[in-house]
């Protein structure tokens, strides 16, 4: 399995692309195979679940509740999609014309840049997911159903009827890789995407309670921003204005002298 240090180095790598980041985070928090991730369409995600309709085995057909840390990332991947796929704009390859073929080679080049041992490969993220869930005491039948193993023995119609999804949702919500990794997985590459166009400025980012909002220091300005509003396009960077939601400001501009207050709450700012 990947160590937490491996995960942090990968997710925080300055040259990682949105597709590479998204695929890695999805594998970490769903246990999905690379081919399943590459074939995942925007329309396959609904009711706060990922629906896999076909795969390498019959038991691959399954439903995976979306981990709460993936919600904002999936929203961004959805917005950026050019072709209806969550991992967008891939060039199929190989004898069977798989969408994952050339992307897998790209992921290998990323690992080569990080100079990792040969055993640390993308597919071993499934083992990382499995090991972490087992260590958390997740029931083996839940893990089999989430990962699409042969002993899952639960058909898709059972999930769609709403009979068994809540126990799985409870199980997957317990998954954590620690504060540092979870923070990177939730917002690491999202902030890079949002901060494009701020070159020449020094960006300092710190997260607030529950990772729902954050402060950004850009040049001499300090912003506290609602991640939700940014993803919805209701405010942007580096637009230094105040947005409102039910009369409460979600974004505040402070002077450089207030930079020491990063990480504390501002009066009247929605938390």
């Amino acid at each position: 399995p990947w160590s937490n240090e491996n995960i942090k180095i990968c997710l925080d790598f300055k040259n990682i692309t949105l597709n590479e980041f998204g695929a890695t985070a999805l594998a970490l928090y769903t246990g999905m195979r690379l081919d399943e991730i590459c074939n995942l369409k925007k329309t396959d995600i609904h009711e706060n679940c990922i629906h896999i309709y076909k795969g390498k085995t019959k038991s691959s057909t399954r439903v995976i509740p979306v981990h709460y840390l993936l919600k904002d990332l999936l929203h961004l991947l959805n917005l950026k999609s050019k072709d209806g796929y969550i991992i967008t704009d891939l060039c199929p390859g190989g004898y069977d014309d798989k969408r994952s073929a050339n992307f897998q080679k790209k992921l290998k080049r990323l690992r080569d840049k990080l100079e990792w041992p040969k055993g640390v490969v993308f597919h071993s993220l499934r083992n990382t997911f499995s090991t972490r869930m087992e260590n958390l005491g997740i029931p083996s039948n839940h893990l089999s159903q989430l990962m699409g193993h042969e002993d899952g023995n639960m058909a898709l119609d059972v999930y769609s009827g709403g009979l068994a999804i809540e126990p799985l949702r409870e199980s997957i919500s317990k998954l954590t890789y620690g504060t540092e990794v979870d923070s990177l997985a939730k917002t690491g590459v999202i902030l890079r995407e949002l901060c494009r166009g701020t070159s020449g400025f020094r960006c300092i980012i710190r997260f607030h309670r529950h990772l729902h909002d954050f402060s950004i220091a850009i040049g001499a300005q300090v912003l506290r921003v609602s991640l939700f509003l940014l993803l919805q396009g209701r405010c942007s960077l580096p637009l230094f204005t105040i947005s409102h939601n039910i009369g409460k400001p979600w974004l505040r501009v402070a002077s450089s002298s207030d930079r020491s207050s990063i990480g504390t709450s501002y009066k009247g700012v929605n938390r």
Side-chain angles (χ1 to χ4, degrees):
W2 289 33
S3 67
N4 266 30
E5 191 62 27
N6 291 147
I7 298 170
K8 285 187 288 185
I9 290 172
C10 179
L11 295 182
D12 203 30
F13 184 50
K14 65 179 181 180
N15 293 325
I16 195 170
T17 66
L18 180 59
N19 273 350
E20 292 164 349
F21 186 101
T24 303
L26 276 168
L28 278 169
Y29 290 91
T30 67
M32 291 171 66
R33 301 174 177 92
L34 179 60
D35 197 53
E36 294 171 339
I37 293 170
C38 290
N39 286 313
L40 186 64
K41 296 180 179 179
K42 294 162 57 173
T43 53
D44 295 336
I45 303 175
H46 50 88
E47 298 177 347
N48 207 21
C49 291
I50 295 170
H51 298 251
I52 301 174
Y53 295 104
K54 62 180 180 179
K56 61 185 297 185
T57 65
K58 183 178 179 180
S59 58
S60 296
T61 300
R62 63 196 190 279
V63 176
I64 305 171
V66 174
H67 193 287
Y68 64 92
L69 291 174
L70 293 179
K71 291 181 181 179
D72 294 327
L73 175 61
L74 285 172
H75 185 80
L76 180 61
L77 290 167
N78 191 298
L79 290 174
K80 294 285 185 177
S81 177
K82 302 175 183 177
D83 51 14
Y85 288 94
I86 290 297
I87 304 300
T88 190
D89 208 21
L90 299 182
C91 180
Y95 70 92
D96 49 1
D97 208 33
K98 283 187 175 182
R99 295 189 82 249
S100 59
N102 290 318
F103 186 54
Q104 189 170 30
K105 295 176 183 177
K106 190 174 182 181
L107 291 168
K108 182 183 182 302
R109 289 194 292 271
L110 172 64
R111 294 193 304 275
D112 289 343
K113 290 178 184 177
L114 297 172
E115 298 181 345
W116 285 357
K118 290 184 178 180
V120 183
V121 297
F122 190 90
H123 188 72
S124 59
L125 285 171
R126 271 174 64 82
N127 184 243
T128 305
F129 172 86
S130 175
T131 300
R132 188 58 61 108
M133 294 288 273
E134 288 173 356
N135 290 341
L136 288 169
I138 302 303
S140 59
N141 63 322
H142 286 203
L143 189 54
S144 294
Q145 292 164 28
L146 290 169
M147 298 187 70
H149 285 163
E150 291 293 345
D151 56 349
N153 293 325
M154 184 160 291
L156 184 64
D157 59 347
V158 175
Y159 288 109
S160 60
L163 300 177
I165 199 66
E166 288 309 316
L168 294 184
R169 193 185 305 281
E170 182 180 347
S171 288
I172 210 162
S173 69
K174 295 176 182 178
L175 177 61
T176 176
Y177 293 91
T179 302
E180 286 186 87
V181 171
D182 289 350
S183 298
L184 280 171
K186 179 174 173 63
T187 51
V189 80
I190 297 175
L191 293 178
R192 294 183 201 177
E193 291 290 314
L194 295 172
C195 290
R196 282 184 177 180
T198 63
S199 57
F201 294 94
R202 183 185 179 201
C203 294
I204 302 172
I205 300 167
R206 294 190 184 178
F207 293 97
H208 293 258
R209 183 176 296 177
H210 305 310
L211 306 179
H212 290 319
D213 53 4
F214 52 89
S215 290
I216 301 180
I218 302 179
Q221 306 277 2
V222 175
L223 291 77
R224 174 156 176 169
V225 186
S226 162
L227 183 59
F228 174 77
L229 287 187
L230 280 168
L231 292 176
Q232 293 295 320
R234 292 168 62 182
C235 59
S236 61
L237 295 175
L239 180 63
F240 301 156
T241 58
I242 295 181
S243 296
H244 289 267
N245 182 40
I246 319 179
K248 295 182 180 181
W250 282 70
L251 183 153
R252 169 176 173 160
V253 178
S255 68
S256 57
S257 62
D258 290 328
R259 190 171 296 177
S260 61
S261 65
I262 293 179
T264 64
S265 66
Y266 292 118
K267 184 178 180 180
V269 175
N270 195 327
R271 304 184 65 171

